[in-house]
Structure formats: C-alpha cells, structure tokens
Amino acid sequence: MLTAIIMDVATSPTLEITDQLTLLAEVAVRIGLGLKPGQELVMTAPIDTLPLSRAITEQAYKAGASLVTTLFSDEEATLLRFRHAADESFDYAAEWLQDGVAAAYRSGAARLAITGSNPALLAGQDPDKVARANLALSKASRGPLELITRHKINWTIVPCATPAWAAQVFPGETPERAVARLWDAIFASMRLDGPDPVAAWRAHDANLHKRAQFLNDRRYAALHFRGSGTDLRVGLADDHLWLGGGTLGRNGAYCIPNMPTEEVFTTPHKDRVEGTVRATKPLSYQGMLIENIQVRFEAGRIVEASATQGETILESMIGSDDGARRLGEVALVPASSPISKSGLLFWNTLFDENAASHIALGQAYSTCLRDAESLSPDELAAKGANDSLIHVDWMIGSPEMNVDGIAADGASEPLMRNGEWV
Ligand code: ZN
Ligand code: ZN
C-alpha cells in the first residue's frame, strides 16, 4: 500500500473540469475517503492538479465537510531549491508544517492526497542531496505518517493526470494525446468507465475482503515466490492479518486508502526473509528512477543490493536506517488486474504496485497484526513488525511468478501460478 506522497509535484496545467472529473471527485470523497458530515479535510495536491482538487473540494463540502484546507506543492519550486539553495537546506524539512498536519488529524481531520507528479523530476539532481532531503522530510513527517499507518483517521490517495506524468507514460505521443490517454487509463483502472462506479467499487471491495479472509483462514507461516529471477521465502509476522480494500479507521469512518487498489497485503516477519529477489518493474523513488533492482536477504536483512540505474539512490534508500533494509509489507496482485492488463508502465507506485505482486522495504502496517492497538512498539517488533522511516513498495510479480503458501508444519500449497490465483 502507498501511504506517503512526499515531494509530490507536477508541471504545467490545462485540464478541463469534465463530468468525469466530477465523478472521480465524488467517488474519491464518498467511497475512497468516506468523509463524515462535519468532518474537516486536509488535502495535499500538486499545483497542476488544481481542477481535480477544486472538484474534490466541491464534493467534500457537498458531503458536509466543515473545512477543506489544501496544501499545494510546486515542482518548479522544488527544482529551484535544488538549483539555488545552500547545501544545509537539504538536511532541513518544515517540521512545523508536518506537526500542524498531525494536529489537524488528531483533532479529527481526514486526509486526501492527490498524486500526479513527474516521476523523473529529480533525475538530473545530485542523488546525495535528494537522499538527504527525503530523509529530513521522512523524519519531520513521522507524526502524521504514524496516524495514517495506524489508521487513526480515514484517508485516501487518488490520481490526477498531469502533462509531466503523461509524457513519461506515453513518450511517443503529443502532450495533449498523452494526457488524454493517461486520463482514459486512470478512469478505467478506477472503475469509473462503467454505468455504476459506486456499485462496481462496492463489489470490488467485497472481493478483496473475501480474498484477504481466505488467506487469514489459511494462517500461512511463510510465502515462497519463484520466477522472473526471484527465489524468495518471506516469513510472515506472528499474528499477521491480511487486508485488502477498505478499512474501518479508528475514528469510525470506513475508507478505501488507495484508489485504484487491487492488492491484498500483510506484514512479513522482519527477521525471516531469505533469498534473492529481482524487481519486475523500474521504481520511481522521490523523483528518481531505479532500474533492475536485485537484492539478496539473509535473516530478514538485505546483504547485497544492485541496480543497473540509480544504484546510489537504492543504496542511500536502504541506508536510511536499520529497518530500511528489511521488509514491512508483502502484497499479492494477480497479473490479470485491470492495471496490469493495460500493459502500461505508470512510473507511479499507486498504479504499478496494483499491477503486480510486490514487497515494501521499511515501515510495517501495524493494522496488519491482530490486536495491534494494544501492543507497545517492543511487542510489535517481537511479533516481527518492522520499524523504519521509509516505506517503499517495489514490484516483483509477473505472469511468470509462482507463489506457494507454507504452513507452520512446512507443508506447501500453490497460491498463484503464472501470476494468477490458483
Ligand atoms: Zn502494497
Ligand atoms: Zn506499501
């Protein structure tokens, strides 16, 4: 699952508010966010997604929002910082702002993030500065992120096509065509192209819950991934819980945190991951691209890591803290998911993680453990839940991937064959 949209920024506007944009906004507010009448909303949005953020603002007020506050980000401003700011700037983040956001969540606000950034914005920048800026921001946003990952509030992340993002997905097209094609792909993957999107979402949500329930009943001790250069055994945390689709927040509001979503996911055991894994898609990490990631785990920890592009970024990412070398999430997605069937590489985690089975380095979701609310951080760690400043999903699934469920007694049974549920 995707939790954080950090440094999310995009270039040049000109979207038109259409009926479909209104529909997306309505589904985002009512189904994704589950905004309660009288609830406050804090939205984060790249400045180039203004038409969608306004459509969402309208729908939020119509749904009874008490106050909608949008924090806009600007890609050009980010680039100006990298061009002109003093070196010390990159160890600093606006903690006061993150504290304010956390205070809003604690006083009852919901969170909506719009994603649509240029996946390669920082590709030409000094990787060391990018890494330091990310680390500073991760530290500063620990407060709000904790409230989000523990589902203390209702929240969701939704996409918006922007020219910079569209250009990366459709490099051969004119800017207008690229944006139009990206919107088509977004509407299809968000189930907005059928006659009744709300009913389609309810049915899809029920399906994901059923899949998670099946896995919870099996109580596997581990999963074994084989294929596409991967031979990886992922031990699952003690008392792990599979989740998929919507979640009831601890504030009593039901939300679907990622739209689109196709995954069922749980918490791996931070000390019980063994073997080699190869990424099946490139990763856009904080505006930089990492390609052909390959890592080897021993006793849960990455002991070897390589990439054909962006290896320095990969190294600084896994060097963020001790937990950054360990897994915090494992997720299963069939190769036939609508996003996967589009055949597109979106260069955006919200989409690409829902096109393939994936693992995430870093912070675990404590909601993926039974009775997590009553457990202290030490107790969570003892069950195998990882702790880190980062949470980075990367894709390992493919139509060649086989996955077995391994029971506590070592017996194994097929879960996925050639990328599909058995
Ligand atoms: Zn995930
Ligand atoms: Zn994730």
Side-chain angles (χ1 to χ4, degrees), residues 82-147:
F82 277 87
R83 256 174 235 141
H84 303 297
D87 189 65
E88 309 84 78
S89 164
F90 299 94
D91 295 313
Y92 176 75
E95 194 169 352
W96 54 269
L97 179 63
Q98 300 300 331
D99 289 348
V101 169
Y105 295 164
R106 271 193 294 270
S107 69
R111 175 240 191 180
L112 188 147
I114 299 179
T115 171
S117 59
N118 177 353
L121 178 71
L122 300 177
Q125 305 302 323
D126 176 358
D128 176 60
K129 284 185 181 171
V130 177
R132 283 161 55 208
N134 286 331
L135 185 61
L137 191 53
S138 299
K139 284 180 179 163
S141 25
R142 191 114 217 201
L145 203 58
E146 157 110 1
L147 295 162

Side-chain angles (χ1 to χ4, degrees), residues 1-2 329 353 360 365 391 393:
M1 179 158 53
L2 181 65
E329 178 190 343
E353 78 159 337
Y365 292 101
H391 177 100
D393 297 276

Side-chain angles (χ1 to χ4, degrees), residues 303-326:
V303 291
E304 275 170 39
S306 67
T308 56
Q309 193 196 321
E311 192 171 290
T312 330
I313 322 292
L314 176 66
E315 276 164 12
S316 69
M317 179 178 96
I318 64 178
S320 305
D321 52 26
D322 183 59
R325 289 184 174 271
R326 298 173 186 274

Side-chain angles (χ1 to χ4, degrees), residues 64 100 110 123 132 161 195 203 228 233 247 308 311 321 326 337 358 369 415:
R132 283 161 55 208
S228 308
R233 192 188 153 103
T247 306
T308 56
E311 192 171 290
D321 52 26
R326 298 173 186 274
S337 90
H358 56 272
L369 288 176
L415 267 184

Side-chain angles (χ1 to χ4, degrees), residues 193-224:
D193 54 350
D196 189 349
V198 170
W201 268 102
R202 297 238 154 91
H204 178 52
D205 190 31
N207 258 332
L208 291 171
H209 276 271
K210 217 165 78 186
R211 183 72 66 190
Q213 191 54 52
F214 169 82
L215 291 164
N216 284 327
D217 292 343
R218 307 303 289 170
R219 306 238 36 85
Y220 294 122
L223 301 180
H224 190 179

